[in-house]
Amino acid sequence: ELKVEQNPLFLSMQEGKNYTIYCNYSTTSDRLYWYRQDPGKSLESLFVLLSNGAVKQEGRLMASLDTKARLSTLHITAAVHDLSATYFCAVVPGPGTYKYIFGTGTRLKVLA
Amino acid sequence: NAGVTQTPKFRVLKTGQSMTLLCAQDMNHEYMYWYRQDPGMGLRLIHYSVGEGTTAKGEVPDGYNVSRLKKQNFLLGLESAAPSQTSVYFCASSSAGDGNTGELFFGEGSRLTVL
């Protein structure tokens, strides 16, 4: 059974600082997704990582995937208040499967 | 373009009552999903469907039933609601086939309270 773990679960950081959120998963997968959720809202797609070594960047966020280590990272550079949200990773366990299993989420609060 | 639409947005039920949540997508997606979101537990997959007329169990299927009679619709039913089913329910869809990223598109959510 695929398990997806994120850490930290909560993150409070100052504006301008850098930090990394980690997403570990327990079985083979080559597809990983990152989503953002604002309070009371739905989930918004951030990144799609489809192969080992994939790196995607958008603004102050950069995501990477290491399928051998079963690890994805979401790096935040020079955080701003607008990045405050909950971030989820989701993994599809192997080719030919269609389940998307989500991590428990990382609640990020950026302090001005 | 509406994307993924869920109805109703809010509902309050009494224990033992039944109800159906409707998810409709207009993107011609093959795959559809129902998740529930509870504080501190992320999103947990209830049931999913890989095509019209097919459904499969997810991580937490007990107490729920689903149907996919039309490609664009995915219904989630609670036959006898329990307080433990108080949650926010999200529907999502994605496209199959080569060249597609498999990205999930979410509805706005349905907040269900069972008293």
Side-chain angles (χ1 to χ4, degrees):
Chain A
E1 184 78 17
L2 172 63
K3 294 200 181 299
V4 182
E5 295 183 347
Q6 287 182 237
N7 67 83
L9 297 182
F10 299 98
L11 176 56
S12 179
M13 57 192 298
Q14 297 287 332
E15 277 193 331
K17 298 293 187 182
N18 303 334
Y19 209 86
T20 300
I21 298 170
Y22 298 89
C23 174
N24 294 272
Y25 52 96
S26 60
T27 64
T28 301
S29 173
D30 57 3
R31 284 197 286 159
L32 191 138
Y33 305 84
W34 284 96
Y35 290 86
R36 168 182 172 144
Q37 185 181 37
D38 292 304
K41 302 293 186 182
S42 185
L43 283 81
E44 171 191 355
S45 179
L46 290 175
F47 298 110
V48 177
L49 303 170
L50 299 178
S51 61
N52 185 41
V55 177
K56 296 283 183 70
Q57 182 163 6
E58 180 73 33
R60 300 174 187 275
L61 299 178
M62 183 174 71
S64 65
L65 178 62
D66 181 342
T67 59
K68 294 179 182 177
R70 299 177 184 172
L71 171 69
S72 179
T73 60
L74 181 65
H75 187 73
I76 303 158
T77 301
V80 294
H81 180 70
D82 286 351
L83 290 179
S84 297
T86 299
Y87 293 86
F88 292 95
C89 62
V91 178
V92 178
T97 62
Y98 310 98
K99 292 182 178 182
Y100 294 70
I101 305 299
F102 280 76
T104 50
T106 297
R107 186 173 174 184
L108 171 65
K109 186 173 183 180
V110 181
L111 305 173
Chain B
N1 190 346
V4 180
T5 303
Q6 293 180 227
T7 52
K9 300 287 192 292
F10 302 92
R11 184 76 187 269
V12 178
L13 289 176
K14 294 182 179 179
T15 297
Q17 287 185 318
S18 63
M19 75 157 295
T20 300
L21 295 175
L22 170 63
C23 177
Q25 53 95 3
D26 61 3
M27 297 173 283
N28 201 34
H29 284 169
E30 290 80 7
Y31 306 148
M32 297 188 74
Y33 303 82
W34 277 108
Y35 287 89
R36 62 177 289 175
Q37 185 175 29
D38 303 292
M41 303 197 70
L43 277 79
R44 292 181 292 170
L45 180 62
I46 304 171
H47 287 281
Y48 64 103
S49 169
V50 300
E52 183 177 320
T54 71
T55 62
K57 294 180 180 180
E59 301 169 277
V60 289
D62 294 343
Y64 304 95
N65 56 75
V66 288
S67 64
R68 184 123 181 248
L69 299 179
K70 294 182 179 181
K71 185 177 184 179
Q72 63 268 35
N73 296 338
F74 194 30
L75 279 64
L76 178 69
L78 286 72
E79 289 187 350
S80 180
S84 61
Q85 294 177 304
T86 294
S87 187
V88 179
Y89 292 85
F90 285 99
C91 177
S93 69
S94 69
S95 184
D98 293 339
N100 290 299
T101 64
E103 183 179 4
L104 282 175
F105 294 84
F106 283 85
E108 294 183 353
S110 298
R111 183 176 294 276
L112 174 65
T113 301
V114 182
L115 303 176

